[in-house]
Structure formats: structure tokens, C-alpha cells
């Protein structure tokens, strides 16, 4: 809520083995590991790596038939999405929709950390899946 300019909140990386991925970032790269949680709605278990700003979000599918599960099947491990923090996610979705930007989510839903999130379709964003996030203060 501090700025009107979207800033990168995190980079989401799809992984097959979350324990192994966390161990790599923590033990090999020496980065602190933050919270870990299952986001049932999106069919993923995520772990945040504190990389300063932005953070890194590791995502492991909890079921094959989920967006991240299908991504891994098709593309393998790697960069999955870029998350932009916005001040008012509903206003931003309405603004983008009016511009004709294809949206995956027309309404925000509750994502990791209890924050409101929504995805824009990669076909309208130069091939990159973009997640919008409005932080909810805890
Ligand atoms: Co994310």
C-alpha cells in the first residue's frame, strides 16, 4: 500500500522436489528459508527464500492436475511466474480488463501468506505468467 508503481514481490520457480530445492538454496547458495505452506486452492506447496527484495518462491505441485503440475509436465522445472505487488488488486484487474489484457483470474483469490492474488494470461504478457498480489498485513 506504500507505492502506486508495481514492484516485483517474488519470482516463482516450479520444482519437482521441494525439499531438494530448499536444500539447494539454503545449503548451496546460503540463502535463508522462510515460511512454507500448502496452498490447496492452487494445488501447490510453496517455500519462500529470502533473497532481499524480491523474494524467491519455490512451488511444488501437490497434485499432477494443477497449473504447476501441468507446467512441470510440459516445460520441466524453471521460472514459472513473476509476481508484481500492487496497491489495489481489484482496481488493477478492472483497469487491465478494460485495456483488453487477458486475465486468468477476473477476481482475486487468497494465495500464499493470505495475500490476495490474481494471474494475467501469458498470451497477453509477452509469454510471461504474471501474478498480481495485494499484501494483506498480518
Ligand atoms: Co507467486
Amino acid at each position: 500500500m506504500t507505492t502506486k508503481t508495481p514492484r516485483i514481490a517474488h519470482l516463482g520457480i516450479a520444482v519437482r522436489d521441494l525439499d531438494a530445492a530448499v536444500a539447494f538454496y539454503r545449503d548451496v547458495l546460503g540463502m535463508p528459508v522462510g515460511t512454507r505452506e500448502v496452498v490447496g486452492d492452487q494445488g501447490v506447496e510453496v517455500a519462500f527464500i529470502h533473497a532481499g527484495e524480491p523474494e524467491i518462491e519455490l512451488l511444488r505441485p501437490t497434485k499432477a492436475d494443477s497449473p504447476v503440475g501441468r507446467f512441470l509436465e510440459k516445460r520441466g522445472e524453471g521460472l514459472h511466474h513473476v509476481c508484481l505487488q500492487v496497491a489495489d488488486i481489484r482496481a488493477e484487474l478492472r483497469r487491465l480488463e478494460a485495456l483488453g489484457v487477458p486475465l486468468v483470474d477476473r477476481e482475486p483469490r487468497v494465495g500464499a501468506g493470505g495475500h490476495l492474488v490474481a494471474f494475467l494470461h501469458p498470451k497477453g504478457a509477452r509469454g510471461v505468467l504474471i501474478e498480481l498480489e495485494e499484501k494483506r498485513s498480518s
Side-chain angles (χ1 to χ4, degrees), residues 10-12 42 48 57 59 81-83 112 117 119 131 133:
H10 62 256
L11 303 173
Q42 291 171 30
F48 281 91
E57 177 189 40
L59 308 111
H81 67 269
V82 173
C83 178
V117 302
F119 287 89
E131 176 182 23
E133 178 183 81

Side-chain angles (χ1 to χ4, degrees), residues 56-125:
I56 289 172
E57 177 189 40
L58 301 174
L59 308 111
R60 175 191 73 86
T62 53
K63 50 190 177 188
D65 184 26
S66 62
V68 175
R70 288 190 290 273
F71 176 91
L72 279 175
E73 182 66 31
K74 208 166 127 187
R75 314 257 300 259
E77 292 185 310
L79 186 63
H80 177 260
H81 67 269
V82 173
C83 178
L84 301 179
Q85 186 184 338
V86 298
D88 183 338
I89 194 167
R90 285 188 175 85
E92 188 62 6
L93 286 170
R94 295 293 78 79
R95 191 184 70 82
L96 293 168
E97 193 170 35
L99 291 171
V101 174
L103 307 176
V104 174
D105 303 302
R106 296 186 67 244
E107 292 295 330
R109 46 199 169 126
V110 178
H115 304 304
L116 292 177
V117 302
F119 287 89
L120 314 186
H121 200 286
K123 72 184 176 191

Side-chain angles (χ1 to χ4, degrees), residues 13-29 31 33-38 45-49 58-62 77:
I13 297 173
V15 303
R16 295 185 194 283
D17 182 334
L18 192 59
D19 289 329
V22 163
F24 173 76
Y25 279 88
R26 183 188 57 218
D27 303 335
V28 178
L29 297 180
M31 296 164 79
V33 177
T35 54
R36 187 158 161 164
E37 71 178 282
V38 171
E45 181 181 12
V46 306
F48 281 91
I49 307 297
L58 301 174
L59 308 111
R60 175 191 73 86
T62 53
E77 292 185 310

